[in-house]
Each structure stands twice: as structure tokens, then as C-alpha cells.
Amino acid sequence: MGKTIVITGGGDGLGRALARRFARDGETVVLLGRTLSKVQAVADELGAPALAIECDVADPASVRSAFAEVARHHAKIDVLINNAGVYWPFTLAEATDELVQSIVGINLAGPVYCAREALPLLRDGGMVVNVTSESSVLKTPMLWLYASTKHAVELMSEMWARELEAEGVRVTVVRAGQMFDETKTGAPWPIEVSMRFGAAAAQVGINLREKGTSHYNSVTDAFRAILDMPADMHLNLVSINGRRP
């Protein structure tokens, strides 16, 4: 019998690639995203039984509403993939209230809200997969807040795994490197920010141009393997990086 998989940030990027992969494998996917039109477009592409639900993971009321809707369609889910995330390079002096609240809200509070609301549906055999980033260990300049949220999610995941073991819920971290697909045409920030970011990274020995990059579709193989682990196996941390060109 197929799995029911909830994916946050399901409207594009890795979330969309995962939804396509799992739907192709015969699983039921539920796509959560801030912009309903984006996740709905993916659900329409996949067809029934794919489901799209509007959800701002940084807003606890929105998350509660979204998982109430999930529960109306599915009495139990097998997997929650906390994939939604945002990042933007900036210095401490440039840390606006909006940037801080957005990054902390989506990247750190979001997985907490979603896992909390999903827990009643996950008990007795479910799995939480938290997507983090190689930035959590690289310490790339100007990504200090993004990296800190991802590092915190990794620590949080380890402690959740211990806490939830008795309830039959496994927790795995996927620490991912740079990824792309054909729709990713560049960074979402201004070119001058990219130039300062690249220069700051180079100063500490990180050459962003030489870093390996993997295709989103390739990364989905790792998630497939994690979800197919036997019930008596638990993966704490899976680190995946693209190969250098």
C-alpha cells in the first residue's frame, strides 16, 4: 500500500521534484505552500489523489488550519518532509526585522509548528524528514542566520528522534548541498549582493563557483532510499552534496 507524504514548500524546487517523484512511484502527496496557486499547479499536474493546501509554515494558525485539512482527507500520514526554507545573504548591520523574522519563522519555527500538528497523524510508524543545508557546517559569510537556523533544526531533530521513539516516529535530517533545476535561473537577490557574497566567501577560502551542484531530480533518490528503510532501521543524518563539474 502506498505512503501518504506531506511536503512543505511543495510549489517549486526540491519540494516539487519530490512530489513528482513520489507521485510517479505511486505515493499520495499533499503539497503545502504559502502561494496556493503554485502548489495547486503541481497538484493539477500530478492529478488525483495529489492535494494542494495553502500554508504559511511561519504562522501557527495557518499550520493548524492546514493540518486540520490534511486530517479531513487522511486519518494517517506516513511522512512529513519539512522542506520549506528561505535564505538571503546579509551582514549583521543589514539584518532588517523582516529578514530576521522571515528566516527564523520559516526555517526554524516552521518545522516545529508542522511537526507538532502532524504528530497525531504520524504516530505508530510515521517519519519526519527535516531538510537542512551544508551551510550549517560550512559557516559561509553572510549566511550566518540561515546557517544557524539549519544547525538548530539538526540539533532539534536529534532530540526529537529520542523523544518520539516510544511513539513509533522516526526523525531523519537530510543535509543538502547546492541544487538546481532548469527553472532556477539565478539568485533571488540583486547582483551586487551576489558579488559581495561571493567575495566574502572567497576571503575565508570558500569558492562558490567551484562547489558541486546536483539536480533536484537526483536528490530525490536519497529521499526515496530514506523512506524505504526497514522499520528496524533509523537514519539520523544523511549528508548529500553535488559533485564538482
Side-chain angles (χ1 to χ4, degrees):
M1 190 170 180
K3 292 179 170 63
T4 299
I5 303 169
V6 178
I7 305 169
T8 71
D12 57 18
L14 178 60
R16 178 174 58 194
L18 289 169
R20 288 169 171 166
R21 168 62 184 270
F22 292 137
R24 188 172 69 246
D25 291 347
E27 319 290 13
T28 297
V29 295
V30 180
L31 308 170
L32 306 187
R34 278 189 298 180
T35 306
L36 180 59
S37 60
K38 290 175 68 174
V39 286
Q40 188 63 59
V42 178
D44 290 345
E45 172 196 328
L46 301 178
L51 175 66
I53 300 175
E54 184 175 0
C55 179
D56 178 356
V57 300
D59 179 351
S62 178
V63 174
R64 275 191 291 271
S65 175
F67 277 91
E69 182 68 13
V70 172
R72 278 192 281 272
H73 292 268
H74 302 285
K76 180 174 175 56
I77 63 174
D78 299 285
V79 185
L80 165 65
I81 301 179
N82 280 315
N83 164 72
V86 293
Y87 73 108
W88 194 284
F90 54 88
T91 65
L92 178 59
E94 298 164 341
T96 65
D97 294 350
E98 182 180 19
L99 278 172
V100 172
Q101 291 167 0
S102 175
I103 291 173
V104 173
I106 294 172
N107 295 355
L108 183 54
V112 176
Y113 297 146
C114 290
R116 180 186 65 189
E117 299 305 319
L119 185 56
L121 305 175
L122 286 166
R123 288 190 173 104
D124 300 320
M127 178 183 292
V128 177
V129 180
N130 290 325
V131 181
T132 68
S133 166
E134 64 180 2
S135 297
S136 66
V137 292
L138 273 182
K139 300 179 182 177
T140 309
M142 298 179 68
L143 283 185
W144 50 272
L145 185 56
Y146 171 73
S148 296
T149 60
K150 293 301 186 180
H151 193 79
V153 169
E154 292 183 3
L155 173 61
M156 193 166 64
S157 300
E158 182 179 351
M159 298 178 74
W160 284 357
R162 184 174 60 199
E163 177 183 317
L164 299 178
E165 184 175 11
E167 301 194 53
V169 178
R170 292 179 285 178
V171 183
T172 295
V173 169
V174 176
R175 181 192 289 163
Q178 292 184 145
M179 296 173 281
F180 81 102
D181 68 8
E182 290 70 23
T183 67
K184 190 172 181 179
T185 57
W189 47 76
I191 185 64
E192 62 269 18
V193 175
S194 292
M195 292 176 65
R196 287 196 298 115
F197 178 41
Q203 284 184 338
V204 298
I206 301 173
N207 189 330
L208 298 177
R209 293 181 179 274
E210 292 184 356
K211 285 185 53 55
T213 303
S214 54
H215 196 284
Y216 289 123
N217 292 339
S218 301
V219 175
T220 65
D221 286 344
F223 284 82
R224 179 75 268 174
I226 292 166
L227 269 57
D228 290 342
M229 280 289 114
D232 61 344
M233 294 286 294
H234 179 219
L235 294 174
N236 294 303
L237 170 66
V238 177
S239 182
I240 51 178
N241 299 91
R243 296 180 62 188
R244 291 176 60 182

